[in-house]
Amino acid sequence: MTSSPDVIDEAGKPATAGGPPPSATLGGDSKRTSEQVALLLFIVVPFVALIVAVPLAWGRGVSWLDLGLMVAMYYIGCHGITIGFHRHFTHGAFKAKRPLKLALAVMGSLAVEGPLVRWVADHRKHHRFSDAEGDPHSPWRFGETLPALMKGLWWAHIGWMFDEERTPQHTYAPDLIKDPALVRISRHFLSFTILSLAIPPLVGGLVTMSWWGAFTAFFWGSLVRVALLHHVTWSINSICHAVGKRPFKSRDRSGNVWWLAVLSCGESWHNLHHADPTSARHGVLKGQIDSSARLIRWFEQAGWAYDVRWPDAARIDSRRKAVAADAA
């Protein structure tokens, strides 16, 4: 199975002979043990915080300051991923003026989901081989029996990130590598991670003028927020490729999962996305909330975004199935 023709053409081109080797600027094509250990810590620590958050909130509640910091940081990072890393940098759903382009790159980096160039390379490879051999994170990797699907869902959700093999960035993201500013942002992912984790306790401590205020802000605004955002994003890879309604024609098993729409900023309308990858709007049917598309519209109205690929009625109808499928 090949990728959609709407995926950016350059994503499949090999690196030029004169380009720098991957290890020179962006890390090699295989993970070192130290990187895998660091990845494990970034996954486990916030997840433990998320588990602890439930009884903690039940017993003591959560302050409006902590809740505000958690929500604000969550949606800054989430929209940085959905609008920036995904719709703009990966698929070219719109063009952005330089300040917006760099702001989206930074916002996405604050989500703590990996360096910009690697994120884009992985996702372009996913579209090239979606739910077929070569897809980095298909839940159908091990087969279609229930045990195989359970194993595949774990792989698609988390397991694939520990695979030693990495997507060649110079093959799948050569356009980003040509931009020195984007490469610098990508290379300084750790710095943006530290900043992302430090903002809530800094604000919480200054507002309350207490170490306890800084601690609770760190717990909710940093750890719980990162864990929640991680699992919502990973659910697009796992849940949205296993279940959901599929009203549009796509060459994979992508589905629409309505209950993830608000938390995923519109990404869980995943069937339309795979049917029309460069569309700036994913939630195209009545009642489908897509906050990312709304913000792109506002950016366009402000003159910060242009050449936006909005879906029209004819484009949507051309991608509909002859008979809309019910939930898989």
Side-chain angles (χ1 to χ4, degrees), residues 25-26 85 88-89 96-107 109 115-118 173-189 191-192:
T25 57
L26 299 165
F85 280 29
H88 175 59
F89 291 113
K97 296 290 182 67
R98 191 68 174 172
L100 177 61
K101 180 186 289 287
L102 298 181
L104 290 172
V106 171
M107 287 171 59
S109 299
L116 167 61
V117 177
R118 181 159 299 288
D175 51 320
L176 271 63
I177 293 173
K178 293 176 183 176
D179 189 322
L182 297 181
V183 170
R184 282 196 296 273
I185 291 173
S186 190
R187 290 184 63 191
H188 286 89
F189 167 68
S191 299
F192 287 112

Side-chain angles (χ1 to χ4, degrees), residues 255-275:
N256 292 334
V257 180
W258 66 268
W259 49 270
L260 277 171
V262 174
L263 285 176
S264 68
C265 301
E267 293 291 283
S268 68
W269 307 118
H270 209 51
N271 178 236
L272 182 280
H273 172 57
H274 273 266

Side-chain angles (χ1 to χ4, degrees), residues 244-250 256 271 285 288 316-317 319-328:
K245 292 186 176 181
R246 302 181 178 112
F248 299 102
K249 296 176 289 187
S250 66
N256 292 334
N271 178 236
L285 302 180
Q288 293 185 339
I316 294 171
D317 288 342
R319 286 162 171 78
R320 288 182 184 272
K321 290 181 178 179
V323 178
D326 290 327

Side-chain angles (χ1 to χ4, degrees), residues 87-300:
R87 303 190 196 191
H88 175 59
F89 291 113
T90 300
H91 296 293
F94 65 94
K95 295 179 181 176
K97 296 290 182 67
R98 191 68 174 172
L100 177 61
K101 180 186 289 287
L102 298 181
L104 290 172
V106 171
M107 287 171 59
S109 299
L110 295 177
V112 195
E113 293 189 9
L116 167 61
V117 177
R118 181 159 299 288
W119 197 103
V120 169
D122 284 336
H123 196 73
R124 287 179 178 173
K125 185 178 181 182
H126 162 63
H127 273 265
R128 181 166 292 276
F129 303 103
S130 187
D131 288 332
E133 185 176 356
D135 186 342
H137 45 65
S138 173
W140 303 97
R141 177 185 182 95
F142 302 106
E144 300 189 11
T145 64
L146 183 59
L149 180 56
M150 292 299 100
K151 184 178 179 181
L153 284 168
W154 169 258
W155 173 266
H157 198 75
I158 292 178
W160 73 278
M161 291 182 287
F162 293 94
D163 191 3
E164 290 186 1
E165 182 181 354
R166 291 176 129 171
T167 302
Q169 295 169 86
H170 284 75
T171 298
Y172 284 90
D175 51 320
L176 271 63
I177 293 173
K178 293 176 183 176
D179 189 322
L182 297 181
V183 170
R184 282 196 296 273
I185 291 173
S186 190
R187 290 184 63 191
H188 286 89
F189 167 68
L190 180 58
S191 299
F192 287 112
T193 295
I194 294 171
L195 176 64
S196 179
L197 297 176
I199 290 174
L202 180 61
V203 173
L206 289 175
V207 170
T208 64
M209 294 303 293
S210 69
W211 288 107
W212 180 249
F215 170 74
T216 59
F218 176 73
F219 180 82
W220 291 101
S222 298
L223 298 183
V224 174
R225 176 259 308 183
V226 167
L228 181 60
L229 181 53
H230 277 177
H231 286 281
V232 168
T233 300
W234 299 338
S235 293
I236 306 301
N237 297 338
S238 56
I239 295 173
C240 291
H241 274 269
V243 300
K245 292 186 176 181
R246 302 181 178 112
F248 299 102
K249 296 176 289 187
S250 66
R251 288 175 278 184
D252 50 40
R253 303 194 185 200
S254 54
N256 292 334
V257 180
W258 66 268
W259 49 270
L260 277 171
V262 174
L263 285 176
S264 68
C265 301
E267 293 291 283
S268 68
W269 307 118
H270 209 51
N271 178 236
L272 182 280
H273 172 57
H274 273 266
D276 188 5
T278 63
S279 175
R281 178 180 292 279
H282 294 180
V284 297
L285 302 180
K286 185 177 181 179
Q288 293 185 339
I289 298 172
D290 187 346
S291 60
S292 297
R294 175 57 56 188
L295 285 173
I296 293 171
R297 176 74 74 183
W298 289 346
F299 293 154
E300 182 183 41

